[in-house]
């Protein structure tokens, strides 16, 4: 019966559905390309500072902004690695359309060096147009197993270091009445997960700081944006992410986001001036709402998922993996 019904239908009507899908996908794909082009044009000749430029996300941002004609200042803890990365950027781009990257050593574990870092960064071009705070130190351990020394180290890297640099660049931005500060934060700036007390506390603190800063500097024409993502995943070495109009429909974020996705989102934010972006699939987003609307339920679920014995024995004191 179904076959007879299909045969009786107008062939044009049968072809209409896939045509609509293809056209819709093409429109969305072209729209994303146009937005990317406009965003890239926005950063041309701009002074862009990227902290922790040697990580996956920092690396992608550096490539994107450098190719877009920005005057990038790359920050990291290892001079040799920064030099090697800068050489790769320079050799891969057209020197007529790009600027040689500037390099600044930044170690948030050494807070006494921050005044020199601020001065050296401002000396590069005399100002900062875009400041991308990408640094993060992760710790995953039970509260009773985390030393006060580790607590302070995490807070220096995730809170005191970033806000110190932001304060150092603000006078220049305020006098010029322009600038954009982008904090790449974690979803744990909004959610507190078991065995991540120190890390979550640092992310909550830095989130609150930049939320307050946003309101304070708005009158000076300075934008402040935060990006809260779950975790960053990287494809295996040598594997490239395939892009097509069909990827618009098939893209999944259940296992996190790629550095390229996060970098593209940051580029869009510069053009849209969006204040806050949450890059996560539905479950973490639902958890954020549950924490606000049904706190008792949220706390009960969190407590039920904790196995103290397993947590104490199996969770490493310091985790380098990009986990939620």
């Amino acid at each position: 019966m179904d076959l007879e019904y299909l045969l009786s239908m107008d062939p044009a009507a049968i072809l209409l559905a896939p045509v609509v899908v293809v056209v819709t996908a093409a429109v969305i794909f072209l729209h994303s390309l146009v937005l990317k082009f406009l965003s890239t044009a926005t950063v041309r000749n701009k002074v862009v500072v990227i902290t922790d430029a040697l990580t996956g996300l920092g690396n992608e941002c550096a490539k994107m902004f450098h190719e877009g004609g920005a005057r990038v200042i790359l920050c990291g803890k290892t001079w040799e690695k920064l030099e090697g990365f800068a050489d790769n950027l320079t050799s891969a781009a057209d020197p007529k359309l790009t600027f040689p990257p500037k390099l600044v050593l930044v170690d948030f574990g050494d807070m006494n060096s921050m005044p020199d870092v601020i001065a050296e960064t401002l000396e590069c071009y005399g100002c900062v147009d875009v400041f991308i705070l990408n640094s993060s130190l992760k710790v995953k351990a039970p509260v009773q197993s985390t030393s006060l020394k580790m607590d302070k180290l995490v807070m220096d890297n995730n809170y005191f270091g970033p806000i110190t640099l932001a304060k150092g660049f603000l006078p220049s931005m305020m006098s010029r009445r322009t600038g954009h500060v982008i904090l790449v934060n974690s979803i744990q700036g909004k959610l507190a997960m078991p065995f991540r007390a120190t890390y979550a506390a640092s992310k909550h603190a830095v989130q609150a700081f930049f939320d307050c800063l946003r309101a304070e500097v708005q009158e000076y024409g300075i934008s402040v944006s935060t990006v809260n993502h779950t975790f960053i995943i990287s494809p295996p070495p040598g594997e490239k992410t395939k892009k097509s109009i069909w990827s618009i429909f098939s893209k999944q974020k259940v296992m996190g986001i790629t550095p390229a996705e996060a970098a593209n989102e940051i580029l869009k934010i510069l053009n849209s001036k969006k204040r806050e972006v949450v890059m996560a699939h539905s479950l973490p987003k639902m958890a954020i709402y549950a924490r606000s609307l049904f706190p008792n339920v949220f706390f009960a679920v969190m407590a039920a998922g904790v196995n103290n014995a397993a947590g104490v024995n199996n969770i490493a004191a310091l985790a380098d993996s990009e986990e939620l």
Side-chain angles (χ1 to χ4, degrees), residues 284-298:
K285 288 182 178 179
M286 290 173 59
I288 293 174
Y289 290 117
R291 170 64 179 84
S292 299
L293 301 176
F294 311 103
N296 289 336
V297 174
F298 176 82

Side-chain angles (χ1 to χ4, degrees), residues 30-31 47 74 91 122 133 136 156 179 196 205 244 256 259 283 292 305 316:
L30 290 174
H31 180 258
V47 178
L74 308 179
S91 61
L122 290 174
L133 282 157
S136 184
D156 281 346
R196 293 162 175 83
S244 70
L283 187 58
S292 299

Side-chain angles (χ1 to χ4, degrees), residues 129-148:
D129 294 306
V130 180
F131 182 30
I132 301 175
L133 282 157
N134 174 51
S135 305
S136 184
L137 177 63
K138 299 171 181 64
V139 60
K140 183 171 66 173
V143 169
Q144 68 272 21
S145 301
T146 307
S147 66
L148 182 59

Side-chain angles (χ1 to χ4, degrees), residues 45-290:
N45 295 320
K46 298 292 186 181
V47 178
V48 180
V49 178
I50 305 172
T51 64
D52 212 354
L54 297 173
T55 60
L57 176 53
N59 198 288
E60 286 292 334
C61 286
K63 291 178 181 177
M64 187 173 296
F65 289 117
H66 180 254
E67 292 173 359
R71 304 168 190 258
V72 294
I73 300 175
L74 308 179
C75 303
K77 292 194 292 186
T78 308
W79 185 258
E80 291 76 14
K81 291 182 179 180
L82 282 174
E83 281 188 319
F85 181 42
D87 290 341
N88 291 336
L89 288 180
T90 302
S91 61
D94 186 345
K96 296 179 181 179
L97 302 176
T98 58
F99 297 90
K102 302 284 189 177
L103 310 179
V104 177
L105 280 177
V106 176
D107 182 3
F108 288 136
D110 180 14
M111 289 299 297
N112 292 329
S113 67
M114 290 302 104
D116 292 335
V117 168
I118 294 168
E120 185 178 352
T121 304
L122 290 174
E123 284 175 3
C124 289
Y125 291 107
C127 65
V128 172
D129 294 306
V130 180
F131 182 30
I132 301 175
L133 282 157
N134 174 51
S135 305
S136 184
L137 177 63
K138 299 171 181 64
V139 60
K140 183 171 66 173
V143 169
Q144 68 272 21
S145 301
T146 307
S147 66
L148 182 59
K149 182 178 179 180
M150 177 59 72
D151 290 334
K152 291 180 177 179
L153 181 62
V154 172
M155 289 300 293
D156 281 346
N157 278 270
N158 297 352
Y159 177 72
F160 287 113
I163 72 166
T164 300
L165 289 190
K167 288 182 176 182
F169 299 148
L170 274 179
S172 172
M173 291 183 174
M174 293 170 74
S175 64
R176 298 170 64 236
R177 304 191 73 83
T178 184
H180 199 146
V181 179
I182 300 179
L183 170 69
V184 181
N185 206 22
S186 167
I187 196 80
Q188 291 186 59
K190 293 178 172 296
L191 291 172
M193 306 295 291
F195 303 114
R196 293 162 175 83
T198 298
Y199 179 69
S202 68
K203 292 301 182 178
H204 272 66
V206 76
Q207 178 81 30
F209 178 91
F210 284 98
D211 282 349
C212 294
L213 179 64
R214 180 184 299 114
E216 293 183 22
V217 299
Q218 183 175 342
E219 64 176 300
Y220 296 98
I222 301 172
S223 300
V224 177
S225 304
T226 57
V227 180
N228 298 86
H229 60 74
T230 47
F231 60 96
I232 302 292
I233 56 173
S234 298
E239 181 178 323
K240 295 183 178 180
T241 304
K242 297 180 179 180
K243 295 182 179 181
S244 70
I245 59 176
W246 300 106
S247 66
I248 302 296
F249 295 97
S250 62
K251 182 167 59 178
Q252 299 291 326
K253 294 185 180 178
V254 175
M255 297 302 293
I257 60 172
T258 65
E261 286 177 314
N264 277 312
E265 191 63 39
I266 290 172
L267 190 61
K268 292 177 184 177
I269 288 172
L270 288 177
N271 191 53
S272 66
K273 307 295 184 183
K274 197 169 184 178
R275 294 177 176 86
E276 184 175 83
V277 173
V278 177
M279 299 190 72
H281 61 286
S282 56
L283 187 58
K285 288 182 178 179
M286 290 173 59
I288 293 174
Y289 290 117

